[in-house]
Amino acid sequence: MRRTALSTVVLVLGALLGACDGGAVSFADARALADGATSATDGKAAKFVTEVTAGTMRSKSQGQARVAGTGTALAMTTDFLGEPLELRLVDKIVFAKVPEAAREDVPGGKPWVKVSPDGADPFSQVAGGSIDQLAKQNDPGRSLDQVRKAGTLVESGHTELDGVPSERYRLDVDMAALGGDLPAGLSAEAIGGLRGKLGKIPMEIWLDDAHRPLRIVLDLAPVLAASGVPDSAMARIVTRYSEWDTQADIQAPPPEEIGEIPAG
């Protein structure tokens, strides 16, 4: 009887452990993961919170994203450079709301301007590249495209994230294979200067049971290490997505509210 009872306990524990693992994950390689999650999010909207850490620097953004194959639309606020800044990404154009104290530099005092990494206006020249990448990095479609272009699946499994059953994927992303499509805060010039020193960087993606991203973590510590920053320095981008059934009507600012800062 003791042997029978012990066998029963072993079988029960085995069943429980098997239920926690949940068997094989949905995607066996990086491309399949990117394609599956892209298909699952097309036409959907979610709320997001992104935290960027680089050494002692901290930055936080939050907002809504409406994902589409033709381009994700975003409405967000961020504490860029320690000041609150409102951004919108619509039709692949980034709009920034000018702080009231600086609107005297915009003809007519209009509240919005277009921001471009190669713009000739002073605002774009000072912060255009960083703002453009910051807005676009919150786009899950862009992150998945980076996985598709340069990702290699390292590990996968079933887990819970904040009490939600999920699949967790660990990947390596080859920075050289990304070309100019780099994570927020990184320029092609900076990466070019690290050529030969920087190989792959880790990324983690958690998907819900409908294959939609719950969290994406990009570990940029190898970039700091290749730049000569002490190994103890931490650098990563963490984006959390929630409420994938959100209704998000994200539009560009009205044309009459968009100004243009004269080139300096």
Side-chain angles (χ1 to χ4, degrees), residues 27-173:
F27 306 110
D29 58 65
R31 177 172 289 276
L33 164 63
D35 290 346
T38 297
S39 177
T41 55
D42 189 26
K44 302 291 194 303
K47 296 180 179 180
F48 67 85
V49 176
T50 296
E51 295 177 286
V52 179
T53 303
T56 60
M57 188 204 80
R58 302 286 188 277
S59 178
K60 186 175 182 179
S61 307
Q62 57 190 0
Q64 294 181 321
R66 187 181 69 244
V67 184
T70 55
T72 293
L74 294 170
M76 59 180 282
T77 57
T78 180
D79 56 359
F80 179 72
L81 297 179
E83 297 291 335
L85 182 65
E86 184 176 347
L87 302 173
R88 294 185 195 174
L89 171 64
V90 181
D91 294 332
K92 301 181 181 180
I93 299 173
V94 178
F95 301 89
K97 195 167 189 178
V98 181
E100 290 189 14
R103 288 183 191 174
E104 61 184 17
D105 297 328
V106 185
K110 294 184 178 181
W112 292 89
V113 293
K114 294 181 181 179
V115 181
S116 171
D118 56 359
D121 63 278
F123 191 67
S124 289
Q125 288 188 336
V126 170
S130 297
I131 291 176
D132 181 77
Q133 288 195 26
L134 182 62
K136 293 177 180 177
Q137 187 58 41
N138 292 291
D139 174 7
R142 185 186 186 209
S143 296
L144 293 170
D145 194 45
Q146 292 171 343
V147 169
R148 184 180 294 107
K149 289 179 180 177
T152 300
L153 185 61
V154 174
E155 185 181 356
S156 60
H158 291 264
T159 186
E160 282 196 358
L161 182 64
D162 299 328
V164 177
S166 62
E167 293 181 349
R168 180 186 181 187
Y169 295 86
R170 291 183 58 245
L171 306 111
D172 282 337
V173 178

